[in-house]
């Protein structure tokens, strides 16, 4: 078959890239080889537009066992315990087919974790939709939530935390980011690097079908009006088979049979074989006649590019094949030796005893394109908003408007669809600053959270990148955890647009600066470009998944007020930053201005002193102050506990709305027993930490002196009304 311009472009390749393929091969590729180059050179697999920027991120630390470059990151939590975690996107598939797109996103990220030898213990998600009143939003929301719950519930992994957000920027391109966390033993971590010659390359799991072909390439292109036609590129998941695969892999991992293991994710058999071989500087021979297929007359092209789910590729030690086969057959899974490792440094594919394709491994991996795309910096917005010029409203009305909005309404109708308690180790679930999961049969636990802030990043990407790392940091500290490391999912528009590329590069700068200062390294992640339709790009949306350690569960806490007559401390300075705030958006439909200033020294000092107070047992409850400001944070603490507050107006000359709704960073609300107030004040003064005593807890009344009085139950009703009526 002659490779034409239309065939090249249909594979998502530029003509210049095709010329490079010809140079590398010293000939024209055949259709199979072109498909393989298409899969390995797209953004999803090669990171060709992002690699030069991602290299700037801090990835090392005393707690890091494995950073980026493997299926998932691995961190040390003491003893022989390790935590394996990663977040990935499944945006395009979920827009086209919401249930299966979301479900297979969960399945894929779980395989990344148990491939490393970890038993998954928690799932999280960050999902973003367009306006709730857009014609597609309700069906997309229902499909995605059902897909996440359907897969996680069936496989028996708790979905413990997440976020659901709405913004018009996602009307035609939703975001579905899934995170998985697993527990492993430090001496039993498994990697994907091939080693040794003539070793068996084994296919295990489900049979290969025609679903998901060109899925990776589809995820590396913008949508248009014909996106519905891409449904065949969406994978179909089976959580019950994944459960079998999980148990079979973990059983095999108990001995020393495995040299390398890799899940068949994006680009399927192609990416798994190439990645294993390239890391080991080896070649691989594949006999495609032996690939288990569930459909008749599948071609080598289809076999290599299928993204059928619940499949793994394993390289085994000599003589271990029969033992391994018995394990997988016991779990009713396919087990077939489909190839061998070689010293050729080529990916060689045979079909009916004939070589049908041969590609140097390095041309698919290390010699894949790397682009330093042009980009421009974004200036910090200078427009000022004068709060005094806005239409006057009551403090209570402003709060109610925020609490009843889609983005701040109670989302329990979503989280109730997820099994959060299966495995019986969930200590704190959805609704807190971070979820807490006990390490099975031990007193220690981990805290996990996911966070994003697209508005801040759109306004000023460097500040937005820093802010979202800091919010993750604060969320972990607020439950008593020492922050250890992050994973990130970087969702952006078209990188060929220099403004979009600038947003990406600057967000990376902000993330880098915050992670370095806070000793909070990036150990895994994912980049999702081309999120847009008909040249309309989404807001830059980096999602941060954070993991922290609680050495003793007795030192953990949540944001629920614990009793009446406690003293409420506000840690951190309030300057009243309202630009880009929820207050202006929900009450005045104003989206202008710059994000709040990020002072990393304050973040670190305030966070460390709060954690110190928690560990000294002085803190009854804690909550970080973020979107919506002080009054929203206090409301969340009251609604979750049915305990009210009596808060004084600010003593300094600051506008009430700026004080109560300003989104200044580095702040925490702490509930302190009255008998410990003096001790806490002494510690804060000695550490030179800015604080205010702003009020106290009381019986079921929510009061701001001279400004508002209501029952906590009234706030709860307001917070529930939008979702109840949607």
């Amino acid at each position: 078959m002659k490779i034409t311009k239309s065939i090249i472009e249909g594979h998502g390749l530029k003509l210049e890239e095709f010329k490079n393929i010809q140079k590398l091969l010293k000939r024209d590729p055949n259709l199979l080889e072109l498909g393989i180059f298409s899969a390995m050179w797209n953004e999803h697999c090669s990171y060709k537009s992002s690699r030069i920027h991602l290299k700037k991120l801090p990835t090392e630390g005393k707690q890091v066992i494995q950073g980026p470059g493997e299926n998932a990151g691995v961190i040390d939590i003491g003893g022989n315990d390790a935590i394996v975690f990663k977040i990935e996107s499944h945006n395009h598939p979920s827009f086209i087919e919401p249930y299966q797109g979301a479900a297979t996103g969960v399945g894929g990220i779980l395989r990344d974790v148990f491939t490393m030898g970890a038993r998954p213990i928690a799932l999280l998600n960050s999902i973003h939709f367009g306006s709730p009143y857009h014609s597609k939003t309700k069906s997309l929301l229902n499909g995605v939530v059902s897909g996440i719950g359907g897969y996680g519930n069936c496989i028996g992994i708790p979905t413990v935390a997440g976020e659901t957000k709405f913004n018009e920027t996602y009307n035609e391109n939703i975001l579905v980011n899934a995170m998985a966390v697993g527990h492993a033993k430090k001496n039993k971590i498994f990697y994907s690097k091939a080693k040794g010659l003539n070793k068996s390359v084994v296919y295990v799991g489900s049979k290969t079908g025609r679903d998901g072909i060109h899925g990776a390439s589809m995820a590396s292109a913008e949508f248009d009006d014909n996106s519905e036609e891409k449904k065949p590129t969406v994978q179909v998941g089976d959580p019950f088979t994944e459960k079998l695969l999980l148990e079979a892999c973990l059983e095999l991992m108990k001995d020393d049979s495995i040299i390398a293991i890799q899940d068949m994710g994006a680009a399927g058999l192609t990416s798994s074989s190439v990645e294993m071989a390239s890391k080991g500087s080896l070649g691989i021979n594949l006999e495609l006649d032996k690939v288990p297929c569930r459909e008749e007359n599948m071609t080598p092209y289809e076999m290599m590019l299928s993204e059928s789910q619940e499949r793994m590729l394993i390289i085994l030690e000599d003589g271990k094949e029969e033992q391994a086969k018995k394990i997988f057959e016991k779990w009713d899974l396919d087990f077939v030796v489909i190839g061998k490792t070689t010293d050729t440094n080529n990916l060689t594919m045979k079909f009916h005893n004939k070589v049908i394709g041969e590609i140097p491994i390095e041309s698919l991996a290390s010699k894949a394109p790397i682009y330093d795309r042009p980009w421009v910096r974004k200036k910090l917005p200078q427009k000022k908003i004068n709060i005094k010029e806005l239409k006057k409203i009551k403090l209570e009305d402003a709060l109610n408007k925020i609490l009843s909005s889609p983005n701040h309404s109670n989302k329990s109708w979503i989280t109730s669809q997820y099994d959060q308690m299966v495995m019986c180790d969930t200590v704190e679930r959805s609704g807190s600053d971070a979820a807490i999961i006990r390490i099975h049969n031990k007193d220690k636990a981990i805290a996990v959270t996911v966070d994003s802030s697209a508005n801040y990043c759109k306004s000023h990407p460097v500040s937005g990148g820093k802010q979202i790392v800091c919010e993750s940091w604060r969320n972990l500290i607020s439950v008593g955890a020492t922050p250890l490391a992050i994973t990130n999912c970087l969702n952006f528009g078209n990188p060929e647009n220099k403004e979009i590329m600038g947003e990406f590069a600057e967000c990376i700068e902000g993330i880098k600066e915050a992670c370095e200062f806070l000793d909070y390294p990036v150990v895994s992640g994912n980049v999702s470009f081309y999120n847009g339709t008909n040249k309309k790009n989404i807001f830059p949306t980096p999602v941060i998944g954070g993991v922290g350690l609680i050495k003793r569960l007795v030192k953990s806490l949540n944001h629920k007020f614990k009793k009446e007559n406690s003293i409420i401390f506000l840690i951190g300075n309030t300057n009243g930053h309202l630009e880009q705030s929820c207050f202006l958006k929900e009450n005045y439909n104003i989206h202008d201005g710059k994000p709040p200033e990020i002072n990393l020294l304050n973040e670190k000092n305030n966070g460390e002193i709060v954690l110190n107070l928690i560990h000294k047992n002085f803190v009854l409850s804690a909550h970080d102050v973020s979107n919506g400001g002080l009054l929203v944070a206090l409301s969340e603490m009251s609604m979750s506990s049915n305990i009210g507050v009596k808060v004084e107006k600010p003593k300094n000359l600051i506008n009430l709305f700026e004080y109560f709704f300003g989104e200044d960073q580095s702040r925490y609300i702490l509930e302190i027993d009255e008998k410990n107030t003096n001790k806490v004040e002494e510690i804060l003064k000695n550490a030179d930490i800015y604080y205010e005593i702003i009020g106290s807890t009381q019986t079921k009344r929510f009061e701001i002196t001279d400004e508002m009085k209501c029952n906590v139950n009234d706030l709860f009703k307001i917070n529930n009304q939008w979702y109840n009526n949607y």
Side-chain angles (χ1 to χ4, degrees):
M1 176 187 251
K2 182 175 175 60
I3 305 299
T4 64
K5 180 183 176 184
S6 64
I7 291 174
I8 295 166
E9 292 176 345
H11 279 76
L13 292 164
K14 309 289 187 186
L15 292 179
E16 190 61 36
E17 291 175 333
F18 181 74
K19 290 177 182 177
N20 288 338
I21 292 170
Q22 290 174 309
K23 289 178 183 177
L24 289 166
L25 293 178
K26 299 177 181 177
R27 58 177 174 81
D28 285 348
N30 60 36
L31 186 63
L32 171 63
E33 293 166 333
L34 184 73
I36 288 170
F37 273 103
S38 167
M40 295 306 299
W41 281 19
N42 64 54
E43 291 285 356
H44 195 80
C45 293
S46 74
Y47 292 82
K48 58 189 177 186
S49 297
S50 57
R51 268 191 284 174
I52 63 168
H53 298 284
L54 295 174
K55 289 178 179 178
K56 301 172 185 176
L57 293 172
T59 59
E60 297 179 350
K62 62 182 181 198
Q63 68 273 44
V64 178
I65 296 173
Q66 175 64 53
E70 271 292 341
N71 287 290
V74 187
I75 57 173
D76 188 346
I77 62 166
N80 193 30
D81 296 311
I83 293 297
V84 180
F85 65 106
K86 189 181 182 183
I87 189 169
E88 276 199 342
S89 63
H90 229 220
N91 304 335
H92 289 63
S94 299
F95 183 76
I96 296 169
E97 215 310 300
Y99 185 95
Q100 288 296 347
T104 52
V106 173
I109 199 64
L110 283 171
R111 289 194 300 280
D112 282 340
V113 166
F114 72 75
T115 299
M116 301 289 294
R119 178 170 291 281
I121 58 175
L123 288 163
L124 302 87
N125 58 75
S126 174
I127 52 180
H128 294 67
F129 300 90
S131 165
Y133 310 108
H134 189 273
S135 59
K136 295 180 181 178
T137 297
K138 184 175 282 190
S139 64
L140 288 168
L141 174 65
N142 288 332
V144 166
V145 170
S146 296
I148 292 170
Y151 206 100
N153 295 351
C154 289
I155 196 172
I157 312 294
T159 301
V160 297
E163 58 176 9
T164 304
K165 294 186 175 181
F166 299 91
N167 190 301
E168 292 81 359
T169 188
Y170 311 109
N171 277 350
E172 301 296 334
N173 198 120
I174 65 174
L175 302 183
V176 177
N177 294 180
M179 177 176 169
V181 183
H183 172 236
K185 297 299 181 182
K186 282 193 295 190
N187 61 348
K188 283 293 220 179
I189 305 295
F190 292 81
Y191 300 95
S192 57
K193 181 180 179 180
K195 297 177 185 177
L197 296 177
N198 205 37
K199 303 295 184 182
S200 294
V201 178
V202 184
Y203 174 119
V204 301
S206 291
K207 289 180 169 52
T208 296
R210 291 189 170 96
D211 53 314
I213 295 173
H214 290 304
S217 299
M218 179 267 293
S220 303
E222 283 186 322
F223 282 152
D224 55 30
D225 292 332
N226 299 315
S227 60
E228 285 291 313
E229 296 175 3
K230 297 179 180 180
K231 278 191 177 182
T233 63
V234 179
Q235 310 91 334
V236 178
D238 179 357
F240 300 105
T241 299
E242 179 119 334
K243 173 64 173 174
L244 301 177
L245 183 62
L246 161 66
E247 298 299 341
C249 287
L250 293 181
E251 183 174 342
L252 182 62
M253 289 168 172
K254 290 178 181 178
D255 64 21
D256 299 320
S257 300
I258 297 174
I259 296 173
I261 181 169
Q262 176 74 42
D263 92 288
M264 295 191 209
L269 183 55
T270 289
S271 63
S272 56
S273 54
V274 170
E275 287 172 16
M276 295 171 89
S278 66
K279 289 173 182 176
S281 300
L282 293 171
I284 281 187
N285 260 346
L286 295 178
E287 297 182 47
L288 299 181
D289 306 78
K290 297 180 179 180
V291 173
C293 295
R294 66 169 181 258
E295 299 182 45
E296 294 183 0
N297 302 316
M298 287 191 66
T299 65
Y301 183 98
E302 293 170 326
M303 294 177 196
M304 290 300 295
L305 296 178
S306 168
E307 294 184 7
S308 294
Q309 299 291 284
E310 295 85 41
R311 302 179 300 158
M312 294 279 190
L313 204 62
I314 302 175
I315 297 175
L316 288 175
E317 293 282 7
D318 293 339
K320 298 290 187 177
E321 293 88 351
E322 283 304 312
Q323 177 187 341
K325 185 177 182 180
K326 287 179 181 177
I327 292 172
F328 282 89
E329 288 184 343
K330 180 185 75 173
W331 291 100
D332 199 25
L333 296 166
D334 280 296
F335 178 102
V336 184
V337 178
I338 64 168
K340 295 285 185 179
T341 59
T342 71
D343 61 358
T344 64
N345 294 108
N346 291 335
L347 172 65
T348 304
M349 294 155 285
K350 294 182 178 179
F351 194 62
H352 300 328
N353 295 317
K354 180 182 176 182
V355 175
I356 57 170
E358 190 159 35
I359 306 172
I361 291 288
E362 65 178 4
S363 70
L364 298 169
S366 61
K367 291 188 177 180
I370 299 178
Y371 296 136
D372 187 2
R373 297 193 184 277
W375 59 278
V376 294
R377 286 195 175 274
K378 195 161 192 173
K379 294 180 179 178
L380 192 67
Q382 297 302 309
K383 185 175 181 179
K384 299 283 186 181
I385 297 167
N386 189 343
I387 186 71
K388 295 178 181 178
E389 294 178 356
L390 299 175
K391 180 182 176 182
K392 291 185 179 180
I393 54 175
K394 293 181 179 178
L395 198 69
E396 185 173 353
D397 291 342
L399 175 63
N400 291 345
K401 198 72 179 288
I402 296 172
L403 293 181
S404 62
S405 68
N407 279 317
H408 287 85
S409 288
N410 187 335
K411 298 179 178 65
S412 59
W413 78 269
I414 291 177
T415 57
S416 64
Q417 297 181 55
Y418 308 147
D419 190 336
Q420 301 183 63
M421 303 304 294
V422 65
M423 301 178 76
C424 300
D425 285 319
T426 306
V427 177
E428 197 66 47
R429 52 185 175 174
S430 295
S432 284
D433 290 285
I436 300 174
I437 301 95
R438 180 189 296 105
I439 302 302
H440 196 63
N441 289 330
K442 297 189 178 182
D443 187 39
K444 63 183 172 185
I446 58 166
V448 291
T449 181
V450 287
D451 300 282
S452 64
S453 185
N455 285 348
Y456 289 171
C457 289
K458 183 64 178 176
S459 173
H460 191 242
V462 174
S463 300
K466 285 194 285 189
Q467 187 275 335
I468 202 59
V469 172
C470 292
E471 185 167 346
S472 172
W473 162 272
R474 289 196 302 273
N475 281 334
L476 295 175
I477 284 175
S478 296
V479 299
T482 302
L484 293 181
I486 69 168
T487 180
N488 58 42
C489 194
L490 307 174
N491 307 276
F492 288 78
N494 189 336
E496 298 168 53
N497 179 315
K498 62 183 181 181
E499 284 78 22
I500 302 296
M501 198 65 220
E503 292 173 348
F504 180 82
E506 290 195 276
C507 268
I508 291 288
E509 286 182 15
I511 293 169
K512 170 184 180 291
E513 187 178 344
C515 286
E516 285 180 341
F517 198 92
L518 299 173
D519 188 22
Y520 198 30
V522 182
V523 298
S524 60
N526 170 240
V527 176
S528 176
F529 277 134
Y530 296 98
N531 289 291
T533 299
N534 293 329
K535 310 300 180 183
K536 293 181 181 178
N537 294 286
I538 66 163
F539 282 5
T541 313
V543 176
I544 301 295
V547 177
L549 175 64
I550 300 171
K551 290 184 178 180
R552 293 183 63 215
L553 262 174
V554 71
K555 302 293 185 180
S556 70
L557 72 163
N558 56 34
H559 72 299
K560 300 177 182 178
F561 285 130
K562 299 300 183 295
K563 64 178 192 173
E564 299 164 21
N565 300 316
S566 299
I567 305 302
I568 302 173
F569 279 66
L570 174 62
I571 308 297
N573 199 13
T574 300
N575 296 310
H577 187 96
L578 282 180
E579 293 168 25
Q580 293 294 334
S581 68
C582 297
F583 168 77
L584 289 181
K585 181 185 177 184
E586 302 300 344
N587 287 281
Y588 298 98
N589 199 30
I590 294 175
H591 306 260
D592 299 328
K594 60 186 179 183
E597 179 186 353
I598 308 298
N599 185 315
L600 292 173
L601 183 62
N602 286 347
E603 284 287 356
K604 190 169 188 176
N605 289 344
N606 292 357
E608 288 178 347
I609 200 69
V610 168
L611 196 59
N612 181 42
L613 290 170
I614 292 171
H615 289 169
K616 289 180 181 295
N617 295 323
F618 285 137
V619 183
L620 298 175
S621 66
H623 194 16
D624 86 303
V625 182
S626 54
N627 289 347
L630 174 60
L631 202 54
V632 170
L634 286 168
S635 300
E636 290 169 345
M637 297 177 82
S638 283
M639 290 188 293
S640 63
S641 61
N642 202 24
I643 293 174
V645 298
K646 187 173 183 178
V647 175
E648 302 294 330
K649 291 193 295 187
K651 297 174 184 176
N652 52 358
L653 295 174
I654 187 171
N655 180 281
L656 280 182
F657 294 100
E658 292 174 330
Y659 182 79
F660 284 113
F661 295 110
E663 296 183 5
D664 306 284
Q665 303 293 290
S666 315
R667 296 186 297 161
Y668 301 80
I669 298 170
L670 305 183
E671 179 191 6
I672 307 294
D673 194 303
E674 189 174 17
K675 68 182 182 186
N676 293 323
T677 300
N678 291 337
K679 294 177 184 176
V680 170
E681 286 199 84
E682 184 181 355
I683 291 170
L684 292 171
K685 287 175 181 176
N686 289 338
D688 199 24
I689 299 295
Y690 184 89
Y691 73 95
E692 297 175 55
I693 293 177
I694 61 172
S696 59
T697 58
Q698 63 176 1
T699 306
K700 299 183 181 182
R701 295 285 293 169
F702 194 91
E703 296 182 60
I704 310 296
T705 304
D706 300 328
E707 292 297 328
M708 68 172 287
K709 290 183 181 180
C710 67
N711 290 318
V712 173
N713 194 48
D714 294 332
L715 294 178
F716 187 81
K717 287 178 180 177
I718 289 165
N719 192 229
N720 278 272
Q721 69 183 21
W722 186 84
Y723 270 101
N724 288 342
N725 296 326
Y726 187 55

